[in-house]
Every structure is written in structure tokens, then in C-alpha cells.
């Protein structure tokens, strides 16, 4: 007799990063080089618009190839979902096995640095102010989560804030960290290795490795242990 488990919590094996991805086909390497030589940076950005949103094989392949052609460096196994966008992708250094979700947006800066490590998973509608950003290996980035890397000084007070100088502060996300759905990481913050940021949290100060923080502003909740229960505060439905 079958057992109806509807409505019960359950554990299933995660997929991303657990299995070795096959190498990109050889023709893709040739395509990337041809695109780089034929179009240049500005031409590639224009070309990306033609393939930015489709779900078919050609659109998916072209998004991947254009990201690889235009980034400062890019590893194998990149996946870019429809509607994902960028600014100043020439400042990006992307590792192996990275997934970028639908409608995610990564805004680099012409003199900035955006480093994304191996096997990073970026959820749909995420936003990166990636002027001085490092995300280390195996980070999970929840849907809608954001990182801000700069603020206006708001000085002097007799001019509109948007016209005041921009202060850029580095943001570092340690390996294995997990950023919850719709969380926001503010400029200058470092998230320690293996830390968990709860859904909707606003992180205004550094987070210790292997700790759990949540709330607005985010506060320390506890340390992670081997006896952790299933954490509902961090995961946003990704696999």
C-alpha cells in the first residue's frame, strides 16, 4: 500500500554542483573566439539583445557563448537563463559550473572587479552592484537577493544626493555561504565562509563564518552545528 506524504516536509538531494559537468563542446570554444574577434565588446552587447530572452537551444547557447566571449575570464559549464542582463561584463571573472537565473542582473563598473567562483548558483531576479565584488566557490544566492556595493556620500547637503560623490566599498561573500531569498547585503560587508543569511535580511555588518543571521538589520541567531534542523529561513526553492 502506497503512503501519501503530501503536506509533509521531506529531504531531496541537491543537484547543482554535486555532479561533474561535461566539458563544453569544442564547437562552442570556436564560436566564442569567432564572436570575440568579429564583434568586439560593443557589438557583443548589441548581439546579446537578440538572444537574451529565448528558451530554445540556440538562444541558450548564444547567451553562454556571448558571456564567455565578453567576460575577462569565464570557465566551463556556464548556464545563463532568459532575461539575465549585465553592465560592464568585461570586468567579470566567472568560474566553472556557474548558474545565473532568469532576469538576474549584474551591474559592473568600467574600472571595477566582479569575481564569481566555481559552482555558484544565482537565483532568478537577483541583483549585483558588482563594482568591487568577490563571491567565492559554492555560494547559493537566493531569488531576488541583492548586493549593494556603493552609496552616495550625500555631501554637501545643498545639492541633490544623486549628484554627490559615489563611495564604493568591497563586498566579499565567503565560500559555501547561503544568501536567503530577497536578502540585501550592504556596501563594505563580508559574509564568512559557510554562513547563512536568512530570507529578507538586511545585512549591515560582517557575518562570522558558519553563523546564522536574520532580520532587519540582520542579527546573530546561532552557530551552525551538525545537529541543525532543516532551515526554512534560508532556502528559496532552489535545487
Amino acid at each position: 500500500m502506497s503512503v501519501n506524504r503530501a503536506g509533509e516536509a521531506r529531504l531531496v538531494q541537491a543537484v547543482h554542483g554535486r555532479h561533474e559537468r561535461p566539458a563544453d563542446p569544442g564547437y562552442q570554444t570556436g564560436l566564442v573566439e569567432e564572436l570575440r574577434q568579429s564583434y568586439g565588446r560593443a557589438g557583443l552587447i548589441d548581439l546579446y539583445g537578440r538572444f537574451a530572452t529565448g528558451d530554445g537551444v540556440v538562444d541558450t547557447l548564444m547567451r553562454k557563448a556571448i558571456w564567455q566571449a565578453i567576460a575577462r575570464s569565464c570557465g566551463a559549464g556556464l548556464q545563463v537563463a532568459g532575461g539575465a542582463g549585465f553592465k560592464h561584463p568585461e570586468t567579470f571573472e566567472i568560474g566553472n559550473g556557474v548558474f545565473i537565473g532568469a532576469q538576474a542582473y549584474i551591474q559592473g563598473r568600467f574600472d571595477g572587479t566582479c569575481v564569481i567562483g566555481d559552482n555558484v548558483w544565482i537565483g532568478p531576479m537577483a541583483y549585483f552592484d558588482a563594482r568591487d565584488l568577490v563571491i567565492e566557490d559554492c555560494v547559493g544566492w537566493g531569488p531576488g537577493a541583492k548586493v549593494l556595493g556603493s552609496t552616495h556620500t550625500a555631501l554637501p547637503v545643498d545639492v541633490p544626493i544623486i549628484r554627490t560623490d559615489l563611495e564604493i566599498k568591497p563586498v566579499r561573500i565567503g565560500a559555501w555561504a547561503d544568501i536567503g531569498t530577497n536578502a540585501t547585503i550592504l556596501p563594505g560587508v563580508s559574509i564568512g565562509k559557510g554562513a547563512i543569511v536568512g530570507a529578507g535580511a538586511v545585512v549591515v555588518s560582517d557575518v562570522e563564518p558558519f553563523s546564522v543571521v536574520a532580520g532587519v538589520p540582520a542579527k546573530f541567531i546561532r552557530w551552525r552545528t551538525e545537529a541543525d534542523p532543516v532551515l526554512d529561513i534560508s532556502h528559496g526553492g532552489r535545487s
Side-chain angles (χ1 to χ4, degrees):
M1 183 175 67
S2 64
V3 177
N4 185 359
R5 298 186 181 279
E8 296 181 5
R10 59 195 177 115
L11 291 176
V12 298
Q13 189 177 63
V15 174
H16 183 77
R18 291 187 67 97
H19 305 289
E20 187 172 343
R21 293 185 180 278
D24 292 332
Y27 67 81
Q28 183 178 314
T29 303
L31 174 62
V32 169
E33 188 56 33
E34 181 64 28
L35 290 172
R36 186 180 291 128
Q37 292 186 11
S38 298
Y39 286 89
R41 186 173 71 88
L44 285 171
I45 291 173
D46 288 341
L47 184 66
Y48 186 76
R50 294 170 56 183
F51 303 99
T53 58
D55 291 327
V57 173
V58 173
D59 297 275
T60 301
L61 171 64
M62 289 301 293
R63 280 196 297 273
K64 181 181 351 181
I66 291 171
W67 277 70
Q68 289 180 318
I70 202 170
R72 182 181 296 162
S73 64
C74 186
L78 175 68
Q79 299 178 76
V80 183
F86 52 67
K87 186 173 183 180
H88 292 295
E90 73 277 9
T91 66
F92 298 176
E93 299 175 17
I94 301 173
N96 295 306
V98 171
F99 172 83
I100 300 174
Q103 300 182 52
Y105 192 80
I106 304 177
Q107 179 171 322
R109 180 181 156 86
F110 70 92
D111 60 352
T113 297
C114 171
V115 178
I116 300 174
D118 293 342
N119 291 313
V120 170
W121 190 98
I122 299 171
M125 302 184 74
Y127 172 74
F128 290 2
D129 178 3
R131 301 162 197 268
D132 189 350
L133 173 65
V134 175
I135 297 178
E136 297 180 352
D137 295 347
C138 299
V139 168
W141 195 272
K146 301 171 182 65
V147 56
L148 305 181
S150 60
T151 55
H152 288 278
T153 63
L155 296 172
V157 296
D158 60 346
V159 301
I161 294 172
I162 200 169
R163 295 183 183 174
T164 63
D165 291 342
L166 204 60
E167 184 177 21
I168 298 170
K169 294 181 179 179
V171 176
R172 302 288 183 267
I173 311 297
W176 306 0
D178 191 279
I179 311 300
T181 300
N182 288 326
T184 300
I185 313 298
L186 294 189
V189 167
S190 291
I191 306 294
K193 179 179 179 179
I196 293 176
V197 174
V202 177
V203 186
V204 301
S205 58
D206 292 351
V207 174
E208 293 291 325
F210 295 98
S211 65
V212 179
V213 301
V216 181
K219 296 181 179 178
F220 174 82
I221 302 297
R222 60 183 173 79
W223 299 107
R224 290 180 59 198
T225 70
E226 293 293 336
D228 267 349
V230 176
L231 294 172
D232 292 332
I233 63 172
S234 65
H235 293 281
R238 55 185 175 276
S239 60

